[in-house]
Amino acid sequence: MCGIVGIIGKTSVAPQIVEALRRLEYRGYDSAGVATLENGHLDRRRAEGKLRNLETKLSQAPLSGAIGIGHTRWATHGKPNETNAHPHATEKLAVVHNGIIENFRELKTGLEAKGIKFETETDTEVVAQLVTYEMRQGRPPIEAIAVTLPRLRGAFALGFLFSGEDDLLIGARHGAPLALGFGDGEMYLGSDALALAPFTDDITYLEDGDWAILHRTGVDIRDESGQSVRRPRHKIVTGSFMADKGNHRHFMAKEIHEQPEVVGRTLAHYVDFSAGRVALPFDLPFDFKDLKRLSISACGTAYLAGLISKYWFERLARIPVEIDVASEFRYREAPLEPGSLALFVSQSGETADTLASLRYATSEQQHTVSVVNVPTSTMARESAVVASTLAGVEVGVASTKAFTCQLAVLLSLAIAAGRARGTLSAEDEKELVDALIGVPGLMSEAIKREHQIEVLARELSKAKDVLYLGRGTSYPLALEGALKLKEISYIHAEGYAAGELKHGPIALIDETMPVIVIAPHDAVFEKTVSNMQEVAARGGRIILITDEKGALDTGLDTMATIVMPAAHPIVAPIVHSIPIQLLAYHTAVFMGKDVDQPRNLAKSVTVE
Ligand code: F6R
């Protein structure tokens, strides 16, 4: 999940590359680097840590050169130090890379057998050495790339700069996104269009397997077989994503896997990472400190995102929150004090009940803010303030990435409210923003538990009924887990507040009933453990989703424990969304269900 950029410009490009990298820093900031060509010679600056360290280096030793590539790293192979920082270079070329070259060990062994020495622990250096090897055999750069790309396995995007070639950049896309930007006598390459937004809005997205040969005057795009192809040019709309399944069997799988990327992108829109503060991308026509009450309404998964945010708004900003499913709110004739805030959450921005609730709130002189994913939707048009989630197009009917992006936006709003109301200090804000910065990385970590979850899903698929339990923000997550499972696997599932168990649902528990408990090691952890004990005592089979500390502290036998990376308790629900989504997904896939288009459902519910 690194960010890459390449520019063939007219004047010195290093400052532009740094600017683009700043917009990509949400993808990783373990190290950063730039390489340019000065009089045909490759030169590079790299620095461990955040981009500002690289900027300091560049100010001490500037790079000139009108062609260059840059990288901001989220380490996968090798420590996040300067040696492992990109661009990686040989005497022939420099390369930047996002993603993983899965067969790098095998390729490296082959090159080492030919006497090639490696300087770093990265998979990327293998690519640099492979292409260099081909060039040493006399192949020109384009041919060397053409023979190298088919040898690489994994999901990656690459950008190459060649010694002595001051009008040539090559980019390649294989599973990880890569966009081309068209300028006036300049060409750009970037992990996303947002990175290139300061320079151009004229964008072509490479398709999977494509590689592109860039010159100042244009680009030759080749497909996997080496044929020149044409790809459409778009006037870029912020947040748009190509609706393809990538390397996944289903859109839902792709969308689950995309979450570190799109949550990072969304956060980058709401948070000034370097200043450690929330920076909302819009002006508010009210002041949070004047609000007496906040009402939230939404449907389904969006409602559950709203329910999690109730805990955040109340805890962080001390605003009393009232939340309702929109189908109730719209007819409830709730008395709303004029000038209060009404918040709506919707992926589509078209859900009939949520839209009707928005209209009701508007007629009751409420300030309206809508958290929506489709920027052109009716709700976006009719709300006073639109808080966009940048999840990109969500195709799977079961909402996944829109949900976690909604959480990212809602938490940013709650932090902003807390600051405005004086319930959070600047240090508190910094602590929370630091926690938010870590979220995409933690989500990637969480996705690594997929294999364990897939195996477990086979067991779960045998169940007739499943119970989900949680406390605090894990309670709405329990409801979301149950909703996800029932809508795509058609297994009956219920979510309960763990403390409610003994008030009825405990009667259901026997040895055939899996009970999924979501319990990060937070302030209510011990209480949830007591509820788990009540389940265990009645023979219930517990699947525990917790973190490392939680796994150590339960002292209970479980059917399985899925260990999440440790996260700040406030952001934990964003990270813990991943295993509940994966569990529902793999259960439904194992049962042969149509996960992207489950029976009886629709993506956009425009009827009440
Ligand atoms: C469940 C799901 C639905 C939607 C609900 C609201 O996975 O996707 O429950 O969350 O229909 O839709 P939007 O967010 O478009 O208002």
Side-chain angles (χ1 to χ4, degrees), residues 16-74:
Q16 282 179 301
I17 291 176
V18 169
E19 191 177 347
L21 290 179
R22 189 167 299 112
R23 300 170 79 91
L24 290 172
E25 228 185 346
Y26 74 88
R27 303 173 71 96
Y29 33 79
D30 289 333
S31 62
V34 175
T36 61
L37 219 52
E38 305 189 10
N39 303 322
H41 295 293
L42 281 169
D43 200 358
R44 56 181 175 153
R45 305 281 177 271
R46 299 177 299 161
E48 189 177 327
K50 300 221 165 123
L51 189 57
R52 57 176 173 265
N53 300 347
L54 175 68
E55 287 180 277
T56 308
K57 278 205 167 170
L58 280 165
S59 65
Q60 287 155 357
L63 280 177
S64 63
I67 180 168
I69 53 177
H71 189 267
T72 177
R73 178 166 188 245
W74 188 77

Side-chain angles (χ1 to χ4, degrees), residues 298-303 345-352 354 379 394 396-400 402 406 480 483-484 487 601-605:
C299 299
T301 289
Y303 163 76
V345 189
S346 176
Q347 188 286 128
S348 62
E350 302 293 348
T351 301
T354 314
M379 285 180 60
E394 189 178 65
V397 163
S399 187
T400 51
Q406 285 159 356
E480 170 62 3
L483 175 59
K484 263 327 57 113
E487 72 180 320
L601 294 176
K603 186 68 188 159
S604 182
V605 186

Side-chain angles (χ1 to χ4, degrees), residues 469 501 509 515 531-542:
L469 300 177
L501 185 71
I509 288 172
V515 180
N531 303 131
M532 277 169 47
Q533 253 144 3
E534 293 154 14
V535 173
R538 284 152 186 91
R541 296 186 304 152
I542 296 166

Side-chain angles (χ1 to χ4, degrees), residues 410-421:
L410 289 164
L411 181 49
S412 303
L413 284 170
I415 296 170
R419 284 295 284 141
R421 292 166 72 84

Side-chain angles (χ1 to χ4, degrees), residues 374-388:
V374 179
T376 49
S377 61
T378 313
M379 285 180 60
R381 287 198 304 276
E382 294 192 16
S383 301
V385 176
V386 184
S388 298

Side-chain angles (χ1 to χ4, degrees), residues 109 118 159 278 304 371 385 543 582 600:
T109 312
F118 283 80
V278 169
L304 296 172
V371 178
V385 176
I543 297 174
L582 286 171
N600 307 340

